[in-house]
Amino acid sequence: TRVSIGTLSQLERGLVSPTVRTVYTVANALGVMPAWLIDPSQAPVQTSETRYIVRAGQRSRLLDLDGIRKDIASPAASERLIGFFMVIQPGSSSGAQPYTHKGEEIGFLLSGTLELQIDGESFTLGEGDCFAFASHKPHQFANPGTRPATVFWVNADIPQI
């Protein structure tokens, strides 16, 4: 995971709170959803409808940490695309360091302001703006505004060529 043994030990003992990036890094290494690390009892129940539909009030909470709430907005039938409804509070961010992973991303800013850094370049997005990039490029995000930023964010599991 490239997370120090000392940090992992402190996390396991509940002495420190993980950053969003650390939660994702550890979850990826373990092959589980990040929400499972925070609350294993939140595993979604599968029905015939939930295979194709996610109702607004029935999104699974993936993450609620350090001013960032991330709900799964895509149904189980989507195997390569994962849609998220995110709310990023003013002053909150993905962390001090950019991160990478496989795939591609696209997002649509529903409200608020989002500062997005991709491969060393910074972009400030407003309501109605859309973004896309290859996930292997170092990236990070923050809300520099005074009100929550809401984003529909999609990660695509697309192999790198």
Side-chain angles (χ1 to χ4, degrees):
T1 64
R2 296 186 183 160
V3 175
S4 75
I5 292 171
T7 299
L8 289 173
S9 175
Q10 289 179 333
L11 289 171
E12 288 173 342
R13 293 180 289 144
L15 299 176
V16 296
S17 294
T19 64
V20 172
R21 184 171 55 99
T22 300
V23 170
Y24 275 86
T25 300
V26 172
N28 187 46
L30 295 174
V32 299
M33 296 295 280
W36 184 85
L37 293 175
I38 296 166
D39 186 0
S41 69
Q42 294 298 311
V45 176
Q46 183 91 358
T47 67
S48 59
E49 179 175 289
T50 59
R51 176 152 175 71
Y52 303 104
I53 308 292
V54 174
R55 304 276 181 200
Q58 297 176 331
R59 294 185 198 122
S60 296
R61 179 74 30 96
L62 182 63
L63 179 71
D64 196 349
L65 185 67
D66 295 333
I68 298 175
R69 190 183 87 216
K70 189 173 190 177
D71 298 341
I72 298 175
S74 55
S78 181
E79 295 177 9
R80 294 180 58 179
L81 300 173
I82 302 174
F84 302 102
F85 178 78
M86 294 180 61
V87 178
I88 305 156
Q89 295 300 322
S92 295
S93 73
S94 58
Q97 297 297 319
Y99 61 99
T100 64
H101 50 93
K102 67 178 183 169
E104 292 183 15
E105 307 184 32
I106 189 168
F108 183 84
L109 192 62
L110 300 164
S111 66
T113 304
L114 185 71
E115 185 176 297
L116 184 61
Q117 189 179 86
I118 305 166
D119 208 15
E121 289 189 77
S122 281
F123 306 93
T124 301
L125 292 89
E127 185 173 318
D129 291 343
C130 187
F131 60 86
F133 57 92
S135 303
H136 72 273
K137 293 182 182 229
H139 57 282
Q140 64 191 105
F141 61 87
N143 179 354
T146 58
R147 62 188 182 113
T150 55
V151 185
F152 181 67
W153 200 308
V154 178
N155 287 52
D157 184 10
I158 299 172
Q160 299 299 317
I161 298 174

